[in-house]
Amino acid sequence: MKKTLLIVTLAIAAVPVWAQLSANTIAVNQDTLPGTIEEVMVSASRATKGTPIAQTTVSRKEIQLQNTGRDLPVLLQFQPGVTITTDAGAGIGYTGIRVRGSDATRTNVTINGVPINDAESHGTFWVNMPDMATGLSSVQIQRGAGTSTHGAGAFGATVNMQTFSAQQPYLLFSNTAGSFGTFRNSLAGGTGLINGHWTADFRLSAINSDGFVDRAGSKLRSYMASLGYQGKNWSMKYLSFGGKEQTYQAWWGVPKEKLQGSETDLLNHYYRNLGVTYKTAADSANLFGSNPRTYNYYNYPREIDDYTQNHHHLYFTTKTGTNSHLNATLYYTRGLGYFEQFRYQDKLSNYLLLPIITGTDTITRSDMVRRRWLDNHLLGSNINWNFNTKKSSWIAGIGYNEYNGKHYGRIVWASQAPQATPDQSYYNGTGFKRDLSLFVKNTHQWTPNLQTWIDLQYRKVHHSGLGTDNDLRKIDFLGNFEFFNPKAGLVYRRNNQSFYGSVSIANREPSRSDFTDHKTGDAPKPEQLTDFELGWNRSGPNGSLFVNLYYMNYRNQLVLTGEVNDVGNPLRRNVEKSYRRGIEIGFEQKLSSKFTVGGNISLSQNRIERIATVIPDYFTYEQNDSLFRNVPIAMSPATNAAFWIEYALPGKTSVRYLHKYVGRQYLDNTGDTYRSLNPYQFGELWLKKSYTLKTGAALDIQFQVLNVFNTLYSSNGYTFMYTYGSRDITQEVFLYPQAGRNVMGGITLRF
C-alpha cells in the first residue's frame, strides 16, 4: 500500500510539469456538450432557480472556505432548517443530518445523480466517505419533497452532490490539525483537458482524530480517481471513490443523571441498572470516575466499527439532436465490514452453543468477543433524456438497481466455549431489494413572466429479508410497493423578484429495521406525504432575500419513538396523522465592499394528532399504553436559526463569525420536557488568508475557533420508559454531549 501511495504521489506531483510540456497540445473543444459531464449528470435531479421548491445551493468556494476535514453534514449545519449531530462530539466519525426535523433516513442523498442512501436502512453513513467535501464542486439542499430522483424518495430533504472536475491542470496539497488529536492530510490533482479530449483527476485523504468523547477515535482513509474523454458530441467518464473507516463505538451516550443530575440521581440510575447495564467493577469505575461530558460506556479496546465501501460510476452523455441529449450511468457499490463487541458473561444459548457440563457444574455463560458483519452489493443504472424547445424543457428518466446484502455474526473469542470454532457463525440473514423508478418532468414558459413545472414519478419496490437476526429471531418479511409521486407548481417573475407555489405527493417504503425491530410484530406501513410550498425570492447585485411557507401533511409517517436498537439505530413506528408546517426566511446582504452579513430562521410546528406510547412492565411483562394527542414530533425543533457576518481585510484575508441556535427537541413523542434536549446555541470563528507565491502557486492558511463561547450542549439523545410492578414510571434518558471550545487550523498549497 505504501509503495502504491508513493507511486501515485509522484505521478500527481508531476502534473504541473506534464501540463507545461503539453501546453501546446491543450485545447478546449468548443463543440462538446455544455458544462462538465458531472453538471450534465446532475441536471436530471437538480432544481433550477426556476423550480418552485425550497432550495439552497452551496458552492465549492463556500465548501472549501470551511473545509478542515470535518464531515460534510457539519459543513452544512448553517443552512436553513438543518441540524446535525456527531457521536464522538467533534464533527469527525459518525455524524447525522436532519432537515426540517426529518432524520437522515428520509433525506435522499445522491452523487452525480447516483443514490448513496443504503438501500435497506435508508441511512447515509458519511463516515464511509471521509473528506468527501474536498472532491465536491457544489451541494444542493432541497427542502421538502424535492424533485424526483433515483433511489429512495425524499421525505424531508434532498442532498444533491456534484463532484469536482477541472479543465486546467492543478495540484492541491492540504494539511490540517486541531484539538482532540485531529489531523487531516489530503493530496489531489488533475491533468486538466489534454488534446481537447482527456481529463484525469485524483485524490488521497487520511483523517485521524481521538474524538471529544473518551476513546471515540476515528481512523479514516479515502480516495477518488477519475478518467474522462470528451468527444465532439459525446463524453464518457469513469469515477471511483471510496473509504475505509475504523471508528470506536460511542453510540451509547451519557446518562442524563451523570451529565445534569446530582450524585443521588446518578446513584439511583446506577442501582436500578446494576447487573444489567453495569456488570463489572470496570463498568462502575468508568461510570463514576470519568468526566461527565466525555463519558463513554465502552472499555473494551477493540469496540470498533471497521467498514470499507467503494463506489464505481461510469457516465456517458451524447447529443441526440440540436436541442437534446441522452445521459446514462452505470454504478456499483460494494460494502464490507463489521463491528466488534466484548460481551461479559453472555448466555451461550445466544450463540447456538450448548451448556458446558463439568462434573456437577453446568456452565451456561461465558465472556465473548463477537463480530457482526455486513456484506452488500448494489448494482444499478440511470438513463435520462433531455429535450428542449423554445418554450419547454423535458426530462424523462428511468432508473433501476438491485441490492443484495448479508447480515451475519461470528464468534471471535470465548472464555468458556470449547465447542466453538474460530469465526463460528451464530446468525445469518439476507436482504434483497429491487427499485425501479420512472419519471418525466416538464418546465414550460407560458409568458416571459410565467412558468409552470410538472414532475411525475412512478416507483416499484420489492424488499425481502430471510434468515435469523442477531438476537436469533426469525426474519421473514416481504414488501411489494408501487408508488405514484406527482408534483406540480408555477413560478411568476417580475424584475428581480419571483413568486412560486407547488404541491407534491411523495410515498416511501419502510426500511429493513422497521420490519425487523417492530415490537408488535405488525408489518410497518408505507408513508405518504403531501407537501405544499409557497415562496418569494428577491435577488440583486448586493444581496438576496427569500421567504418560504410550507405545510407537510403526512399519513402513516414513521416517526422516531425515542428508543434505539442494540446497535444505536433509532426505532420508528407509524402514526396515522401528523404534519410539519412553518416559515423559512433567509437573507444575504453586502453592506459595503468589506462587510457582508447573512442568516436564516425557521419557525415551525411539528405535531402528531394521536399516538399511543407503549410502556412495558419489566416485572409482569405486560404492555401498558398511554394515549397522547397533539404532541410534538420527536427531534423536530420549533426554532432553527443561523446568522453570520464576514469582514474582508486587506491582503486576501477574510474573517467570518457564524452563530447557530436550535430550539428544544423532544426525544420521544410525549412532549415531556424531561425527555428532551435543551435549546442550545454556539458560535464559530473562521479566518482565512491567501498568498500568491512567486512560483505562481497559491497558499491558503485557515484557522477556526469552534464553539467560541464554550457552550455545554447535547445535540442528540434517546430515551425509554418502563415500570416494575407498580404505577411509577422510570425514565431513562441518554444524551450526546458535543465538544466545548476547540480549534482547527490548516495550510493548503495550490498549483
Side-chain angles (χ1 to χ4, degrees):
M1 178 63 183
K2 291 183 178 179
K3 183 178 179 181
T4 303
L5 181 60
L6 177 61
I7 293 172
V8 172
T9 302
L10 292 174
I12 297 299
V15 166
V17 178
W18 177 19
Q20 183 64 35
L21 294 174
S22 306
N24 294 330
T25 65
I26 296 177
V28 177
N29 189 339
Q30 300 296 333
D31 294 325
T32 56
L33 292 161
T36 65
I37 196 169
E38 290 87 352
E39 291 174 326
V40 177
M41 289 298 129
V42 302
S43 63
S45 57
R46 277 210 170 174
T48 65
K49 290 184 178 180
T51 306
I53 63 173
Q55 57 178 289
T56 304
T57 300
V58 186
S59 67
R60 177 173 175 81
K61 180 181 178 182
E62 182 69 18
I63 294 170
Q64 299 312 316
L65 173 65
Q66 55 175 314
N67 181 23
T68 53
R70 294 188 293 170
D71 293 341
L72 186 63
V74 183
L75 307 189
L76 301 176
Q77 66 181 325
F78 294 100
Q79 301 305 316
V82 172
T83 56
I84 65 101
T85 186
T86 172
D87 284 6
I92 294 174
Y94 271 92
T95 59
I97 186 171
R98 298 188 183 95
V99 183
R100 290 185 177 175
S102 295
D103 65 272
T105 62
R106 52 242 284 109
T107 298
N108 179 276
V109 179
T110 60
I111 292 181
N112 298 336
V114 174
I116 298 299
N117 298 68
D118 179 76
E120 284 194 306
S121 71
H122 294 175
T124 299
F125 301 96
W126 302 94
V127 70
N128 299 330
M129 302 183 292
D131 203 27
M132 192 68 200
T134 298
L136 295 180
S137 175
S138 64
V139 178
Q140 184 180 84
I141 302 175
Q142 301 172 13
R143 302 184 299 280
T147 63
S148 292
T149 63
H150 300 297
F155 250 62
T158 297
V159 176
N160 184 308
M161 294 178 280
Q162 178 187 324
T163 56
F164 175 70
S165 182
Q167 298 292 296
Q168 298 296 325
Y170 71 97
L171 180 67
L172 182 149
F173 187 54
S174 181
N175 297 275
T176 59
S179 302
F180 318 117
T182 300
F183 294 93
R184 180 193 64 151
N185 306 105
S186 183
L187 174 68
T191 63
L193 192 62
I194 299 178
N195 292 330
H197 294 292
W198 293 95
T199 61
D201 296 271
F202 192 85
R203 174 180 61 81
L204 291 172
S205 299
I207 300 175
N208 294 288
S209 178
D210 296 335
F212 168 67
V213 174
D214 295 342
R215 299 175 293 283
S218 297
K219 182 179 180 181
L220 314 176
R221 303 292 182 265
S222 67
Y223 77 95
M224 181 179 285
S226 67
L227 178 65
Y229 180 85
Q230 296 185 21
K232 182 177 181 180
N233 293 312
W234 63 276
S235 297
M236 180 178 287
K237 174 173 277 192
Y238 169 69
L239 171 68
S240 179
F241 63 94
K244 178 177 176 58
E245 57 94 2
Q246 285 188 342
T247 306
Y248 195 92
Q249 298 289 355
W251 63 262
W252 189 275
V254 180
K256 185 172 183 176
E257 292 86 351
K258 180 174 178 63
L259 190 63
Q260 300 176 359
S262 64
E263 183 177 347
T264 301
D265 294 332
L266 182 57
L267 283 170
N268 289 336
H269 164 83
Y270 172 72
Y271 284 124
R272 67 175 178 260
N273 289 281
L274 184 62
V276 178
T277 302
Y278 309 108
K279 300 179 180 180
T280 68
D283 291 340
S284 303
N286 184 32
L287 177 67
F288 290 102
S290 61
N291 185 305
R293 297 199 61 78
T294 63
Y295 166 76
N296 189 349
Y297 171 77
Y298 294 110
N299 283 302
Y300 172 59
R302 280 193 54 81
E303 196 88 18
I304 62 169
D305 189 69
D306 188 310
Y307 195 78
T308 301
Q309 189 175 76
N310 296 309
H311 302 256
H312 305 277
H313 297 178
L314 181 62
Y315 310 121
F316 175 78
T317 183
T318 181
K319 286 187 176 181
T320 55
T322 305
N323 299 308
S324 65
H325 62 272
L326 181 73
N327 310 325
T329 301
L330 180 66
Y331 58 90
Y332 171 64
T333 303
R334 173 75 170 109
L336 178 66
Y338 63 87
F339 74 89
E340 186 170 313
Q341 279 189 315
F342 171 77
R343 302 285 293 178
Y344 174 78
Q345 289 297 292
D346 228 353
K347 291 181 179 180
L348 294 177
S349 59
N350 290 343
Y351 303 89
L352 303 179
L353 298 173
L354 297 174
I356 303 168
I357 300 175
T358 57
T360 59
D361 296 329
T362 301
I363 299 174
T364 60
R365 294 178 178 268
S366 170
D367 291 349
M368 310 288 290
V369 174
R370 67 187 186 188
R371 286 180 178 175
R372 292 166 59 177
W373 284 83
L374 292 175
D375 182 348
N376 48 64
H377 306 261
L378 178 70
L379 178 64
S381 63
N382 299 334
I383 300 175
N384 304 310
W385 182 67
N386 298 55
F387 176 74
N388 297 316
T389 66
K390 187 175 181 180
K391 292 188 176 183
S392 281
S393 173
W394 292 87
I395 302 175
I398 180 172
Y400 179 80
N401 62 58
E402 285 193 1
Y403 171 92
N404 282 278
K406 297 179 181 178
H407 305 251
Y408 55 92
R410 296 287 186 265
I411 300 171
V412 177
W413 172 86
S415 63
Q416 299 285 346
Q419 73 269 40
T421 59
D423 283 337
Q424 179 171 327
S425 172
Y426 67 96
Y427 75 90
N428 283 280
T430 60
F432 177 74
K433 191 173 184 179
R434 288 194 302 261
D435 190 335
L436 170 68
S437 63
L438 302 95
F439 63 76
V440 60
K441 306 177 185 181
N442 172 256
T443 302
H444 187 81
Q445 196 75 39
W446 295 92
T447 71
N449 303 108
L450 182 63
Q451 177 180 296
T452 58
W453 169 73
I454 298 176
D455 182 338
L456 307 176
Q457 184 195 47
Y458 167 81
R459 284 187 72 219
K460 185 172 184 178
V461 179
H462 167 91
H463 190 189
S464 60
L466 290 171
T468 53
D469 207 356
N470 61 281
D471 57 4
L472 305 186
R473 286 184 300 113
K474 183 180 179 181
I475 298 174
D476 186 5
F477 68 85
L478 173 63
N480 286 306
F481 309 98
E482 290 190 67
F483 302 130
F484 177 56
N485 302 318
K487 305 175 178 71
L490 57 84
V491 179
Y492 179 80
R493 298 187 189 87
R494 187 175 181 85
N495 300 325
N496 61 345
Q497 301 181 73
S498 65
F499 304 84
Y500 64 85
S502 65
V503 180
S504 304
I505 295 177
N507 295 270
R508 187 178 177 88
E509 71 278 10
S511 69
R512 175 188 173 89
S513 64
D514 294 324
F515 286 98
T516 60
D517 294 329
H518 209 274
K519 290 187 174 183
T520 65
D522 298 329
K525 300 175 183 177
E527 309 169 88
Q528 184 177 86
L529 162 66
T530 304
D531 180 21
F532 301 88
E533 304 279 339
L534 183 65
W536 169 75
N537 292 316
R538 180 175 182 175
S539 60
N542 294 318
S544 62
L545 173 66
F546 76 81
V547 179
N548 186 76
L549 298 169
Y550 66 90
Y551 180 76
M552 302 168 69
N553 188 43
Y554 293 88
R555 184 172 180 82
N556 295 322
Q557 182 180 186
L558 283 161
V559 298
L560 304 178
T561 67
E563 300 173 272
V564 296
N565 65 12
D566 63 341
V567 293
N569 290 328
L571 302 183
R572 307 188 303 179
R573 60 170 297 187
N574 291 111
V575 292
E576 184 178 0
K577 295 181 180 180
S578 57
Y579 64 86
R580 303 177 189 274
R581 63 188 180 192
I583 181 171
E584 300 164 327
I585 303 172
F587 76 98
E588 182 175 334
Q589 183 66 42
K590 192 171 184 178
L591 300 178
S592 69
S593 60
K594 298 183 182 295
F595 271 110
T596 305
V597 297
N600 56 76
I601 184 169
S602 301
L603 303 173
S604 64
Q605 287 184 325
N606 311 279
R607 293 287 188 270
I608 299 171
E609 291 191 10
R610 182 178 181 274
I611 183 172
T613 298
V614 178
I615 304 175
D617 189 313
Y618 288 169
F619 184 77
T620 64
Y621 299 102
E622 295 178 351
Q623 303 287 329
N624 302 304
D625 290 347
S626 293
L627 185 64
F628 295 88
R629 297 180 184 274
N630 194 32
V631 288
I633 301 176
M635 305 308 299
S636 302
T639 305
N640 190 337
F643 172 81
W644 58 268
I645 182 168
E646 183 173 9
Y647 181 68
L649 295 167
K652 296 182 179 179
T653 303
S654 65
V655 180
R656 180 182 290 194
Y657 174 77
L658 305 95
H659 201 85
K660 180 76 174 183
Y661 175 85
V662 179
R664 184 172 301 279
Q665 300 176 78
Y666 296 92
L667 299 179
D668 62 10
N669 303 295
T670 64
D672 191 317
T673 303
Y674 182 80
R675 297 187 296 278
S676 71
L677 302 178
N678 291 328
Y680 61 85
Q681 54 186 313
F682 60 86
E684 296 189 359
L685 183 65
W686 305 345
L687 296 91
K688 184 174 182 179
K689 184 172 180 61
S690 299
Y691 297 92
T692 300
L693 307 180
K694 292 181 179 180
T695 60
L699 179 67
D700 297 331
I701 299 176
Q702 293 174 275
F703 183 72
Q704 299 175 343
V705 183
L706 309 175
N707 197 352
V708 174
F709 302 107
N710 199 33
T711 304
L712 305 182
Y713 72 97
S714 298
S715 63
N716 197 15
Y718 63 94
T719 183
F720 57 94
M721 298 181 290
Y722 61 90
T723 60
Y724 193 79
S726 71
R727 293 185 178 182
D728 296 332
I729 297 176
T730 299
Q731 307 176 82
E732 300 287 7
V733 178
F734 295 82
L735 305 174
Y736 295 82
Q738 301 300 288
R741 185 185 302 112
N742 63 101
V743 299
M744 292 287 291
I747 297 177
T748 300
L749 189 61
R750 294 181 286 116
F751 296 95

